[in-house]
Amino acid sequence: YQETRLHETLLHRFQKTIPSVCHQIEFLPWVTQTDFFHFLNEADVILDPFHFGAGNTAYLSFAVGTPLVTYPSPYLRSRSTYALYQQMEITGMIAHSVEEYVEITCKIANNKDKRQELKEKILNAHPKLFNSNQGIEDFFHFLKSLNTQSPLNKGRAK
């Protein structure tokens, strides 16, 4: 693979913070979209990096039904997967501590029946996630409420 500045920065950070397991970390080369979907589909469990957030990868992993463990922090970037799980009404993969994040991940990784059950839950929740306009409607109403609260609109006819 072609090493980038991000790879160098992460590797340096890992060498400082987790030196005993750093040698086990492997960076993979960029792959085609098809190969990436294949990796997501074959994974037992995916980790939502709680200081960074999974972003589009959350949608893609849910598209194939792969469980994604999340630990939402107070920051928006790490709360998108949490919000998607709320929309799908699935709670079993949301951790409330770093220890629980590891615990949930290990339980899923080491239990084939649990993985299959979670995969089916995610796939059955597809309509709530992929066939819903609720997010768009909520955002529209939020923007509309900002407009009506604006000092520029005080006294204007609505």
Side-chain angles (χ1 to χ4, degrees), residues 93-113:
M93 289 159 285
I94 301 166
H96 303 291
S97 67
V98 173
E99 294 78 15
E100 189 178 16
Y101 181 81
V102 172
E103 182 182 317
I104 293 169
T105 301
C106 290
K107 281 182 182 176
I108 295 169
N110 294 312
N111 187 328
K112 186 177 181 178
D113 292 335

Side-chain angles (χ1 to χ4, degrees), residues 2-97:
Q2 182 176 357
E3 195 167 290
T4 66
R5 178 115 171 114
L6 176 61
H7 293 109
E8 292 172 13
T9 302
L10 284 172
L11 189 58
H12 181 68
R13 186 175 297 165
F14 294 155
Q15 289 167 339
K16 283 179 150 181
T17 58
I18 52 173
S20 64
V21 296
C22 186
H23 66 281
Q24 297 174 350
I25 297 171
E26 183 179 343
F27 292 101
L28 299 175
W30 291 100
V31 295
T32 65
Q33 184 179 29
T34 302
D35 287 344
F36 188 64
F37 272 108
H38 178 74
F39 286 141
L40 290 175
N41 191 48
E42 293 299 314
D44 291 335
V45 62
I46 297 173
L47 301 175
D48 183 8
F50 49 87
H51 293 300
F52 187 71
N56 288 338
T57 303
Y59 280 100
L60 298 174
S61 69
F62 293 151
V64 297
T66 303
L68 188 140
V69 179
T70 189
Y71 172 42
S73 78
Y75 303 106
L76 178 62
R77 65 182 169 262
S78 75
R79 298 185 69 81
S80 59
T81 301
Y82 171 67
L84 296 174
Y85 273 131
Q86 286 184 316
Q87 191 172 343
M88 293 187 293
E89 299 174 4
I90 296 175
T91 58
M93 289 159 285
I94 301 166
H96 303 291
S97 67

Side-chain angles (χ1 to χ4, degrees), residues 124-145:
N124 288 333
H126 270 189
K128 294 176 185 172
L129 187 60
F130 296 110
N131 299 342
S132 172
N133 289 330
Q134 190 61 50
I136 296 167
E137 292 170 17
D138 289 346
F139 189 58
F140 171 78
H141 291 297
F142 168 73
L143 292 175
K144 192 172 179 181
S145 76

